[in-house]
Amino acid sequence: MATAELATYREKWREAPRGSDTDGRIFSSELLAMPDDVFLSTWQAMAARRYDGELGWLGTLYFDTFRDRKVAELGSGLGFDGIRFIEHGAAWTFCDIVPDNLAVIRRVATLKGIADRARFHAIGDDLSFAALPLDYDAIWVFGSIHHVPFEVARREALDLLGHLKPGGRWMELVYPRERWLREGAPPFEQWGKVTDGERTPWAEWHDIEKVRRRLLPAPLRTVLDFEFCSHNYRWFDLVYAADKQFRVDDYDVRLLSRRVNLLVAPPRLAAGARRTLLGRGIVCPAGLFAHAATIDLDAALRALSNAPADLPGAALDIECRVSKGAVGIGLIDASGAYMPGAEISVEEGSDSRLVTLRAVGVGVPATLVFRNLRAAGRSTFAVLKAELRPAN
Ligand SMILES: C[S@@+](CC[C@H](N)C(=O)[O-])C[C@H]1O[C@@H](n2cnc3c(N)ncnc32)[C@H](O)[C@@H]1O
């Protein structure tokens, strides 16, 4: 990323959120200009709003998890979470792109007499974390890197992940797609102004698969994944499921980037389904759960079977646009039964959806099925991309 681009984000984020979402934001330089007693009581009042508000339950959930543990936070703002966890026995490293934000936290920690358990890392234009130790128990990402485009966030995330212990946790708060839809589905350059104020250059919705793609090839196991607060937020708690430190260089990038295109031939239409007039879309047969189209995965799975041995399996990325109704995208086994947890529903919408199915195993015969999820009427959809790849 060019320096000038990161400068845009630095300029925005020297104004960080006060405690609660409804309280707006404050410039860290404004806080730093206050005398010690006013500074600390102002910070304390904002922190109290945070702990009593819609995000306060996170403390209750994780105090015990983090006691005597070492956590690195990516995008620490004014430090409300980290300071609270330090007060409950954690050692915390605050990382941010805005030095003044870190200066606020350093001063709070000093005034509270807990600076010995706090460490600070100003993220430079190289987006590197090389100065930090390699033995963190958890990485805490609270509404931060979803404010930069995916490729930038990926570089940062993969670098910091290399500092997590095997079996450590990646915990992250993001904005879900549901919220983006509710707020008018704007381009990500515009959405930030809605979510975080007029000066915000970027906000991007995330689901679990986007977070996993960002951390690919790191093997991850999901502990928690849920939306809360009227779909305003989504919380992920993932385990880095490996027995060695993560180093991207340990993975064969050539194999990792292997993609088997499933659309070399059009999906096979089921009885009663038909192509749309333009030939690019498919109209489902009437009736709930009526199959519309299938793609047999055997050949593609065989082609991928020399995927890296230390990756647990394969995943299917399917990009689909539903112009009417709703369509289920799922996997059935050789006997025609749906594999557990292997169907995703895509609703009618103006944008296309990229969904990932990961219940697919190399060497396990499976068929990809598109079916009608409307009890009344026929759903209509187009498949823009369908690829098999190694999964993390
Ligand atoms: C919405 S605030 C959240 C702050 C804090 N986590 C909280 O919950 O109060 C976003 C924070 O992420 C930081 N940030 C923005 N882009 C970042 C990036 N690419 N890498 C690291 N931190 C970033 C900002 O400086 C800011 O402190």
Side-chain angles (χ1 to χ4, degrees), residues 13 17 50 73-77 80 96-98 101 123 142-145 147-148 156 196:
W13 289 111
R50 172 67 163 261
E73 176 169 12
L74 183 53
S76 43
F80 302 125
D96 207 290
I97 56 170
V98 179
N101 292 350
I123 303 166
F142 214 82
S144 60
I145 53 171
H147 285 301
V148 288
E156 274 187 87
D196 288 76

PDB file of all heavy atoms in Angstrom, residues 13 17 50 73-77 80 96-98 101 123 142-145 147-148 156 196, ligand 1:
ATOM      1  N   TRP A  13      -8.749   8.136  11.491  1.00  0.00           N
ATOM      2  CA  TRP A  13      -8.864   7.411  12.769  1.00  0.00           C
ATOM      3  C   TRP A  13      -8.167   8.070  13.946  1.00  0.00           C
ATOM      4  O   TRP A  13      -8.149   7.532  15.047  1.00  0.00           O
ATOM      5  CB  TRP A  13      -8.430   5.952  12.588  1.00  0.00           C
ATOM      6  CG  TRP A  13      -9.453   5.215  11.787  1.00  0.00           C
ATOM      7  CD1 TRP A  13      -9.311   4.739  10.508  1.00  0.00           C
ATOM      8  CD2 TRP A  13     -10.801   4.926  12.159  1.00  0.00           C
ATOM      9  NE1 TRP A  13     -10.485   4.170  10.077  1.00  0.00           N
ATOM     10  CE2 TRP A  13     -11.412   4.270  11.079  1.00  0.00           C
ATOM     11  CE3 TRP A  13     -11.567   5.154  13.316  1.00  0.00           C
ATOM     12  CZ2 TRP A  13     -12.742   3.843  11.106  1.00  0.00           C
ATOM     13  CZ3 TRP A  13     -12.891   4.730  13.345  1.00  0.00           C
ATOM     14  CH2 TRP A  13     -13.454   4.080  12.250  1.00  0.00           C
ATOM     15  N   PRO A  17     -13.769   6.113  18.249  1.00  0.00           N
ATOM     16  CA  PRO A  17     -15.083   6.019  18.896  1.00  0.00           C
ATOM     17  C   PRO A  17     -14.996   6.224  20.412  1.00  0.00           C
ATOM     18  O   PRO A  17     -14.081   5.730  21.070  1.00  0.00           O
ATOM     19  CB  PRO A  17     -15.524   4.585  18.604  1.00  0.00           C
ATOM     20  CG  PRO A  17     -14.636   4.083  17.535  1.00  0.00           C
ATOM     21  CD  PRO A  17     -13.373   4.869  17.586  1.00  0.00           C
ATOM     22  N   ARG A  50     -18.964   2.042  27.497  1.00  0.00           N
ATOM     23  CA  ARG A  50     -18.644   0.843  26.721  1.00  0.00           C
ATOM     24  C   ARG A  50     -18.988  -0.422  27.513  1.00  0.00           C
ATOM     25  O   ARG A  50     -19.625  -1.342  27.010  1.00  0.00           O
ATOM     26  CB  ARG A  50     -17.155   0.878  26.355  1.00  0.00           C
ATOM     27  CG  ARG A  50     -16.601  -0.379  25.721  1.00  0.00           C
ATOM     28  CD  ARG A  50     -17.234  -0.597  24.324  1.00  0.00           C
ATOM     29  NE  ARG A  50     -16.442  -1.534  23.575  1.00  0.00           N
ATOM     30  CZ  ARG A  50     -15.540  -1.202  22.660  1.00  0.00           C
ATOM     31  NH1 ARG A  50     -15.315   0.055  22.363  1.00  0.00           N
ATOM     32  NH2 ARG A  50     -14.873  -2.112  22.024  1.00  0.00           N
ATOM     33  N   GLU A  73      -3.859  -6.709  20.317  1.00  0.00           N
ATOM     34  CA  GLU A  73      -5.073  -6.134  19.726  1.00  0.00           C
ATOM     35  C   GLU A  73      -4.700  -5.351  18.469  1.00  0.00           C
ATOM     36  O   GLU A  73      -3.814  -4.491  18.473  1.00  0.00           O
ATOM     37  CB  GLU A  73      -5.773  -5.197  20.717  1.00  0.00           C
ATOM     38  CG  GLU A  73      -6.975  -4.520  20.065  1.00  0.00           C
ATOM     39  CD  GLU A  73      -7.880  -3.770  21.032  1.00  0.00           C
ATOM     40  OE1 GLU A  73      -7.492  -3.570  22.193  1.00  0.00           O
ATOM     41  OE2 GLU A  73      -8.993  -3.386  20.591  1.00  0.00           O
ATOM     42  N   LEU A  74      -5.433  -5.638  17.388  1.00  0.00           N
ATOM     43  CA  LEU A  74      -5.207  -4.961  16.111  1.00  0.00           C
ATOM     44  C   LEU A  74      -6.254  -3.860  15.950  1.00  0.00           C
ATOM     45  O   LEU A  74      -7.443  -4.155  15.795  1.00  0.00           O
ATOM     46  CB  LEU A  74      -5.322  -6.007  14.991  1.00  0.00           C
ATOM     47  CG  LEU A  74      -5.059  -5.572  13.559  1.00  0.00           C
ATOM     48  CD1 LEU A  74      -3.726  -4.875  13.409  1.00  0.00           C
ATOM     49  CD2 LEU A  74      -5.112  -6.792  12.630  1.00  0.00           C
ATOM     50  N   GLY A  75      -5.829  -2.611  16.029  1.00  0.00           N
ATOM     51  CA  GLY A  75      -6.771  -1.487  15.906  1.00  0.00           C
ATOM     52  C   GLY A  75      -7.420  -1.177  17.236  1.00  0.00           C
ATOM     53  O   GLY A  75      -8.628  -1.337  17.419  1.00  0.00           O
ATOM     54  N   SER A  76      -6.608  -0.701  18.202  1.00  0.00           N
ATOM     55  CA  SER A  76      -7.084  -0.642  19.591  1.00  0.00           C
ATOM     56  C   SER A  76      -7.828   0.642  19.948  1.00  0.00           C
ATOM     57  O   SER A  76      -8.319   0.766  21.075  1.00  0.00           O
ATOM     58  CB  SER A  76      -5.897  -0.841  20.541  1.00  0.00           C
ATOM     59  OG  SER A  76      -4.773  -0.107  20.115  1.00  0.00           O
ATOM     60  N   GLY A  77      -7.927   1.610  19.024  1.00  0.00           N
ATOM     61  CA  GLY A  77      -8.699   2.821  19.305  1.00  0.00           C
ATOM     62  C   GLY A  77      -8.231   3.482  20.591  1.00  0.00           C
ATOM     63  O   GLY A  77      -7.039   3.740  20.786  1.00  0.00           O
ATOM     64  N   PHE A  80     -10.361   0.759  25.249  1.00  0.00           N
ATOM     65  CA  PHE A  80     -11.338   0.383  26.285  1.00  0.00           C
ATOM     66  C   PHE A  80     -11.277  -1.115  26.618  1.00  0.00           C
ATOM     67  O   PHE A  80     -11.328  -1.488  27.781  1.00  0.00           O
ATOM     68  CB  PHE A  80     -12.760   0.754  25.842  1.00  0.00           C
ATOM     69  CG  PHE A  80     -12.915   2.223  25.544  1.00  0.00           C
ATOM     70  CD1 PHE A  80     -13.406   2.666  24.322  1.00  0.00           C
ATOM     71  CD2 PHE A  80     -12.551   3.165  26.492  1.00  0.00           C
ATOM     72  CE1 PHE A  80     -13.527   4.019  24.058  1.00  0.00           C
ATOM     73  CE2 PHE A  80     -12.675   4.529  26.238  1.00  0.00           C
ATOM     74  CZ  PHE A  80     -13.163   4.956  25.014  1.00  0.00           C
ATOM     75  N   ASP A  96      -1.944   0.012  16.632  1.00  0.00           N
ATOM     76  CA  ASP A  96      -2.836   0.919  15.902  1.00  0.00           C
ATOM     77  C   ASP A  96      -2.038   1.673  14.848  1.00  0.00           C
ATOM     78  O   ASP A  96      -0.808   1.788  14.947  1.00  0.00           O
ATOM     79  CB  ASP A  96      -3.517   1.899  16.867  1.00  0.00           C
ATOM     80  CG  ASP A  96      -4.873   2.381  16.338  1.00  0.00           C
ATOM     81  OD1 ASP A  96      -4.895   3.147  15.354  1.00  0.00           O
ATOM     82  OD2 ASP A  96      -5.899   1.971  16.897  1.00  0.00           O
ATOM     83  N   ILE A  97      -2.764   2.197  13.842  1.00  0.00           N
ATOM     84  CA  ILE A  97      -2.092   2.987  12.797  1.00  0.00           C
ATOM     85  C   ILE A  97      -1.947   4.454  13.223  1.00  0.00           C
ATOM     86  O   ILE A  97      -1.269   5.213  12.548  1.00  0.00           O
ATOM     87  CB  ILE A  97      -2.859   2.911  11.446  1.00  0.00           C
ATOM     88  CG1 ILE A  97      -4.319   3.354  11.611  1.00  0.00           C
ATOM     89  CG2 ILE A  97      -2.786   1.503  10.873  1.00  0.00           C
ATOM     90  CD1 ILE A  97      -5.063   3.522  10.280  1.00  0.00           C
ATOM     91  N   VAL A  98      -2.606   4.860  14.343  1.00  0.00           N
ATOM     92  CA  VAL A  98      -2.577   6.268  14.770  1.00  0.00           C
ATOM     93  C   VAL A  98      -1.774   6.397  16.072  1.00  0.00           C
ATOM     94  O   VAL A  98      -2.240   5.980  17.140  1.00  0.00           O
ATOM     95  CB  VAL A  98      -4.017   6.807  14.986  1.00  0.00           C
ATOM     96  CG1 VAL A  98      -3.972   8.262  15.446  1.00  0.00           C
ATOM     97  CG2 VAL A  98      -4.837   6.668  13.714  1.00  0.00           C
ATOM     98  N   ASN A 101      -3.557   7.733  19.204  1.00  0.00           N
ATOM     99  CA  ASN A 101      -4.468   6.808  19.890  1.00  0.00           C
ATOM    100  C   ASN A 101      -3.681   5.970  20.904  1.00  0.00           C
ATOM    101  O   ASN A 101      -4.120   5.767  22.047  1.00  0.00           O
ATOM    102  CB  ASN A 101      -5.160   5.865  18.897  1.00  0.00           C
ATOM    103  CG  ASN A 101      -6.142   6.592  17.986  1.00  0.00           C
ATOM    104  OD1 ASN A 101      -6.445   7.762  18.216  1.00  0.00           O
ATOM    105  ND2 ASN A 101      -6.627   5.908  16.967  1.00  0.00           N
ATOM    106  N   ILE A 123       1.651   0.848  13.990  1.00  0.00           N
ATOM    107  CA  ILE A 123       1.740   0.127  12.712  1.00  0.00           C
ATOM    108  C   ILE A 123       2.227   1.112  11.647  1.00  0.00           C
ATOM    109  O   ILE A 123       1.604   2.149  11.404  1.00  0.00           O
ATOM    110  CB  ILE A 123       0.372  -0.468  12.317  1.00  0.00           C
ATOM    111  CG1 ILE A 123      -0.126  -1.393  13.423  1.00  0.00           C
ATOM    112  CG2 ILE A 123       0.462  -1.195  10.982  1.00  0.00           C
ATOM    113  CD1 ILE A 123      -1.596  -1.769  13.307  1.00  0.00           C
ATOM    114  N   PHE A 142     -11.131  -5.664  16.908  1.00  0.00           N
ATOM    115  CA  PHE A 142     -12.464  -5.187  17.265  1.00  0.00           C
ATOM    116  C   PHE A 142     -12.876  -4.023  16.358  1.00  0.00           C
ATOM    117  O   PHE A 142     -12.585  -2.857  16.614  1.00  0.00           O
ATOM    118  CB  PHE A 142     -12.454  -4.735  18.728  1.00  0.00           C
ATOM    119  CG  PHE A 142     -13.756  -5.008  19.422  1.00  0.00           C
ATOM    120  CD1 PHE A 142     -14.044  -6.252  19.937  1.00  0.00           C
ATOM    121  CD2 PHE A 142     -14.706  -4.003  19.534  1.00  0.00           C
ATOM    122  CE1 PHE A 142     -15.245  -6.514  20.577  1.00  0.00           C
ATOM    123  CE2 PHE A 142     -15.910  -4.249  20.163  1.00  0.00           C
ATOM    124  CZ  PHE A 142     -16.176  -5.504  20.692  1.00  0.00           C
ATOM    125  N   GLY A 143     -13.530  -4.366  15.249  1.00  0.00           N
ATOM    126  CA  GLY A 143     -14.040  -3.328  14.341  1.00  0.00           C
ATOM    127  C   GLY A 143     -12.949  -2.467  13.752  1.00  0.00           C
ATOM    128  O   GLY A 143     -13.099  -1.254  13.661  1.00  0.00           O
ATOM    129  N   SER A 144     -11.835  -3.073  13.332  1.00  0.00           N
ATOM    130  CA  SER A 144     -10.733  -2.245  12.834  1.00  0.00           C
ATOM    131  C   SER A 144     -10.386  -2.516  11.379  1.00  0.00           C
ATOM    132  O   SER A 144     -10.584  -1.649  10.523  1.00  0.00           O
ATOM    133  CB  SER A 144      -9.504  -2.411  13.725  1.00  0.00           C
ATOM    134  OG  SER A 144      -9.067  -3.749  13.746  1.00  0.00           O
ATOM    135  N   ILE A 145      -9.908  -3.720  11.062  1.00  0.00           N
ATOM    136  CA  ILE A 145      -9.388  -3.898   9.695  1.00  0.00           C
ATOM    137  C   ILE A 145     -10.493  -4.113   8.663  1.00  0.00           C
ATOM    138  O   ILE A 145     -10.196  -4.205   7.477  1.00  0.00           O
ATOM    139  CB  ILE A 145      -8.305  -5.004   9.590  1.00  0.00           C
ATOM    140  CG1 ILE A 145      -8.781  -6.333  10.175  1.00  0.00           C
ATOM    141  CG2 ILE A 145      -7.025  -4.546  10.277  1.00  0.00           C
ATOM    142  CD1 ILE A 145      -7.813  -7.489   9.892  1.00  0.00           C
ATOM    143  N   HIS A 147     -12.133  -1.757   8.057  1.00  0.00           N
ATOM    144  CA  HIS A 147     -12.127  -0.377   7.547  1.00  0.00           C
ATOM    145  C   HIS A 147     -11.031  -0.139   6.512  1.00  0.00           C
ATOM    146  O   HIS A 147     -10.763   1.008   6.156  1.00  0.00           O
ATOM    147  CB  HIS A 147     -11.970   0.610   8.710  1.00  0.00           C
ATOM    148  CG  HIS A 147     -13.233   0.762   9.501  1.00  0.00           C
ATOM    149  ND1 HIS A 147     -14.415   1.197   8.953  1.00  0.00           N
ATOM    150  CD2 HIS A 147     -13.511   0.518  10.807  1.00  0.00           C
ATOM    151  CE1 HIS A 147     -15.355   1.230   9.881  1.00  0.00           C
ATOM    152  NE2 HIS A 147     -14.837   0.808  11.015  1.00  0.00           N
ATOM    153  N   VAL A 148     -10.352  -1.197   6.083  1.00  0.00           N
ATOM    154  CA  VAL A 148      -9.442  -1.062   4.938  1.00  0.00           C
ATOM    155  C   VAL A 148      -9.805  -2.158   3.935  1.00  0.00           C
ATOM    156  O   VAL A 148     -10.354  -3.198   4.308  1.00  0.00           O
ATOM    157  CB  VAL A 148      -7.942  -1.189   5.336  1.00  0.00           C
ATOM    158  CG1 VAL A 148      -7.478   0.037   6.099  1.00  0.00           C
ATOM    159  CG2 VAL A 148      -7.672  -2.461   6.119  1.00  0.00           C
ATOM    160  N   GLU A 156      -1.931  -7.470   6.662  1.00  0.00           N
ATOM    161  CA  GLU A 156      -1.741  -7.234   8.096  1.00  0.00           C
ATOM    162  C   GLU A 156      -2.084  -8.481   8.909  1.00  0.00           C
ATOM    163  O   GLU A 156      -1.357  -8.878   9.812  1.00  0.00           O
ATOM    164  CB  GLU A 156      -2.692  -6.114   8.553  1.00  0.00           C
ATOM    165  CG  GLU A 156      -2.158  -4.736   8.368  1.00  0.00           C
ATOM    166  CD  GLU A 156      -3.087  -3.729   9.009  1.00  0.00           C
ATOM    167  OE1 GLU A 156      -2.956  -3.444  10.211  1.00  0.00           O
ATOM    168  OE2 GLU A 156      -3.969  -3.240   8.289  1.00  0.00           O
ATOM    169  N   ASP A 196     -19.526   4.853  10.496  1.00  0.00           N
ATOM    170  CA  ASP A 196     -18.533   5.433  11.417  1.00  0.00           C
ATOM    171  C   ASP A 196     -18.268   6.920  11.191  1.00  0.00           C
ATOM    172  O   ASP A 196     -17.225   7.436  11.624  1.00  0.00           O
ATOM    173  CB  ASP A 196     -17.203   4.670  11.315  1.00  0.00           C
ATOM    174  CG  ASP A 196     -17.310   3.287  11.937  1.00  0.00           C
ATOM    175  OD1 ASP A 196     -17.904   2.404  11.304  1.00  0.00           O
ATOM    176  OD2 ASP A 196     -16.814   3.108  13.068  1.00  0.00           O
TER     177      ASP A 196
HETATM  178  C1  LIG B   1     -13.800   1.847  14.868  1.00  0.00           C
HETATM  179  S1  LIG B   1     -12.253   2.057  15.709  1.00  0.00           S
HETATM  180  C2  LIG B   1     -12.343   0.740  16.907  1.00  0.00           C
HETATM  181  C3  LIG B   1     -11.439   0.988  18.052  1.00  0.00           C
HETATM  182  C4  LIG B   1     -11.491  -0.032  19.174  1.00  0.00           C
HETATM  183  N1  LIG B   1     -11.163  -1.376  18.721  1.00  0.00           N
HETATM  184  C5  LIG B   1     -12.827  -0.001  19.851  1.00  0.00           C
HETATM  185  O1  LIG B   1     -13.532  -1.003  19.774  1.00  0.00           O
HETATM  186  O2  LIG B   1     -13.170   0.991  20.476  1.00  0.00           O
HETATM  187  C6  LIG B   1     -11.100   1.515  14.534  1.00  0.00           C
HETATM  188  C7  LIG B   1      -9.671   1.499  15.042  1.00  0.00           C
HETATM  189  O3  LIG B   1      -8.891   0.728  14.134  1.00  0.00           O
HETATM  190  C8  LIG B   1      -7.748   1.442  13.752  1.00  0.00           C
HETATM  191  N2  LIG B   1      -7.445   1.054  12.384  1.00  0.00           N
HETATM  192  C9  LIG B   1      -8.021   1.459  11.233  1.00  0.00           C
HETATM  193  N3  LIG B   1      -7.477   0.849  10.181  1.00  0.00           N
HETATM  194  C10 LIG B   1      -6.531   0.011  10.686  1.00  0.00           C
HETATM  195  C11 LIG B   1      -5.620  -0.889  10.099  1.00  0.00           C
HETATM  196  N4  LIG B   1      -5.571  -1.063   8.809  1.00  0.00           N
HETATM  197  N5  LIG B   1      -4.813  -1.581  10.912  1.00  0.00           N
HETATM  198  C12 LIG B   1      -4.863  -1.419  12.258  1.00  0.00           C
HETATM  199  N6  LIG B   1      -5.692  -0.562  12.876  1.00  0.00           N
HETATM  200  C13 LIG B   1      -6.516   0.145  12.089  1.00  0.00           C
HETATM  201  C14 LIG B   1      -8.117   2.887  13.898  1.00  0.00           C
HETATM  202  O4  LIG B   1      -6.993   3.709  14.065  1.00  0.00           O
HETATM  203  C15 LIG B   1      -9.017   2.865  15.112  1.00  0.00           C
HETATM  204  O5  LIG B   1      -8.285   2.983  16.286  1.00  0.00           O
END
